[in-house]
């Protein structure tokens, strides 16, 4: 079972922000780091998910590191995720990333000009995203990109089904966390932390069904290359990569009548 970590503020002048985070995301605010397990730690420069006495931290980063490299030297519209959602020429679909996580795939699409709504139900991931987006919003290199990214802290399947016809996105993108088989990306630090604090998306079938009802053009599901498909209707096509696979589904509204 996932364990919700406490929020600890180690920057005294940001205490009011910590209190706001605690209220917004229903987190327990503590004044000291736990002796074990994970904690959301608010420092002078960022909010991060940390494990006491362990190296490294998990955070949503859109300004520096891999995000900066991708922004400057990435493959543009030729990137697999960009091709999968249907970017072509001047066509820039409106996208809902219904399993936003740390926002990495959304940050492939927003710099290309797509409007992206990031849905995240986990209070841990949503808090990290909110902090990452806030930091990017005040940086000259990323401020205009973040204007095209909207974070919504909600259960994605429920939220999607509240949309009326005028609000429906062109594409719904899913990258659910499945139970770890011990063979791949779950060995990475951020995935280990998410498995502990967030857990797997055990209701992916429900989310796919909601996405198929709402998307105008397509639903795209990202999976490990040899990973199981989400239970439900089979995909209409797929795009194979070296380590991942993108499954394409035609939404219900776009299917021709029988």
């Amino acid at each position: 079972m996932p364990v919700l970590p406490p929020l600890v503020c180690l920057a005294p002048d940001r205490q009011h922000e910590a209190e706001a985070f605690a209220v917004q995301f229903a987190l327990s605010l503590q004044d000291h780091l736990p002796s074990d397990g994970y904690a959301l730690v608010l420092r002078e420069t960022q909010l991060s998910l940390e494990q006491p006495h362990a190296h490294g931290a998990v955070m949503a980063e859109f300004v520096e590191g891999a995000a900066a490299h991708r922004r400057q030297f990435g493959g543009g519209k030729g990137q697999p995720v960009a091709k999968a959602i249907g970017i072509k020429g001047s066509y820039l679909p409106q996208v809902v990333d219904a399993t936003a996580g740390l926002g990495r795939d959304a940050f492939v699409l927003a710099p290309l000009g797509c409007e992206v709504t990031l849905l995240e139900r986990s209070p841990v991931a949503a808090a990290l995203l909110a902090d990452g987006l806030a930091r990017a919003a005040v940086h000259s290199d990323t401020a205009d990109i973040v204007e095209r990214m909207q974070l919504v802290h909600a259960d994605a399947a429920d939220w999607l089904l509240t949309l009326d016809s005028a609000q429906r996105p062109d594409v719904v993108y899913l990258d659910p966390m499945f139970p770890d088989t011990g063979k791949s990306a779950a060995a990475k630090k951020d995935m280990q932390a998410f498995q502990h604090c967030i857990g797997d998306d055990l209701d992916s079938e429900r989310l796919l069904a909601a996405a198929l009802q709402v998307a105008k053009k397509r639903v795209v599901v990202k999976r490990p290359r040899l990973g199981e498909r989400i239970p439900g209707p089979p995909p209409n096509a797929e795009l194979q990569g070296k380590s991942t696979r993108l499954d394409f589904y035609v939404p219900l509204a776009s299917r021709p009548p029988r």
Side-chain angles (χ1 to χ4, degrees):
M1 290 291 292
V3 178
L4 188 65
L7 172 64
V8 180
C9 180
L10 298 184
D13 59 344
R14 300 190 69 185
Q15 183 66 30
H16 66 288
E17 295 177 62
E19 293 169 358
F21 268 124
V23 171
Q24 183 178 2
F25 300 109
L27 298 167
S28 171
L29 182 59
Q30 297 184 4
D31 58 6
H32 62 277
L33 290 170
S35 58
D36 58 11
Y38 286 87
L40 281 165
V41 183
L42 185 63
R43 301 180 184 276
E44 289 290 349
T45 54
Q46 82 280 325
L47 177 72
S48 56
L49 180 61
E50 303 179 16
Q51 193 172 20
H53 315 300
H55 293 290
V58 177
M59 55 191 287
E61 180 56 66
F62 304 114
V63 178
E64 301 177 351
H69 186 273
R70 183 185 298 116
R71 192 174 66 247
Q72 297 173 48
F73 307 109
K77 295 179 181 178
Q79 296 174 84
V81 172
K83 291 168 66 176
I85 69 158
I87 294 178
K88 201 170 189 179
S90 61
Y91 173 63
L92 297 170
Q94 183 185 16
V95 182
V96 167
D97 182 347
T99 52
L102 292 174
R104 290 169 182 161
D105 286 331
F107 200 71
V108 171
L109 304 175
L112 298 176
C114 290
E115 300 282 340
V116 187
T117 300
L118 295 83
L119 301 182
E120 182 50 61
R121 66 179 172 183
S122 162
V124 176
L128 293 172
L129 272 175
D131 176 71
L133 291 170
R135 286 185 284 108
V138 296
H139 195 284
S140 59
D141 291 343
T142 50
D144 60 329
I145 298 172
V146 172
E147 288 181 357
R148 295 189 288 274
M149 302 171 70
Q150 177 189 7
L151 172 62
V152 177
H153 176 38
D155 180 277
D158 291 343
W159 186 88
L160 287 170
L161 295 177
T162 67
L163 302 180
D164 60 34
S165 57
Q167 297 170 316
R168 290 167 49 205
D170 298 309
V171 179
V172 177
Y173 176 80
L174 310 177
D175 181 13
M177 288 202 302
F178 278 57
D180 175 28
T181 62
K183 295 181 180 180
S184 61
K188 295 169 66 175
K189 177 186 64 201
D190 54 350
M191 291 303 295
Q192 287 180 329
F194 271 28
Q195 289 284 349
H196 182 85
C197 300
I198 297 175
D200 301 310
D201 291 315
L202 300 179
D203 58 350
S204 299
E205 184 175 359
R206 169 175 165 262
L207 179 53
L208 175 60
L212 289 171
Q213 290 187 54
V214 171
K216 292 180 180 178
K217 302 291 186 182
R218 66 178 66 176
V219 175
V220 178
V221 179
K222 183 180 181 181
R223 298 292 300 121
R225 188 174 66 87
L226 300 178
E228 296 180 2
R229 293 193 174 105
I230 295 179
N236 299 89
E238 64 179 41
L239 175 64
Q240 288 273 3
K242 291 182 179 180
S243 60
T244 60
R245 185 187 75 243
L246 292 159
D247 294 337
F248 300 80
Y249 296 80
V250 176
L252 298 177
S254 298
R255 297 182 185 181
R258 296 184 176 179

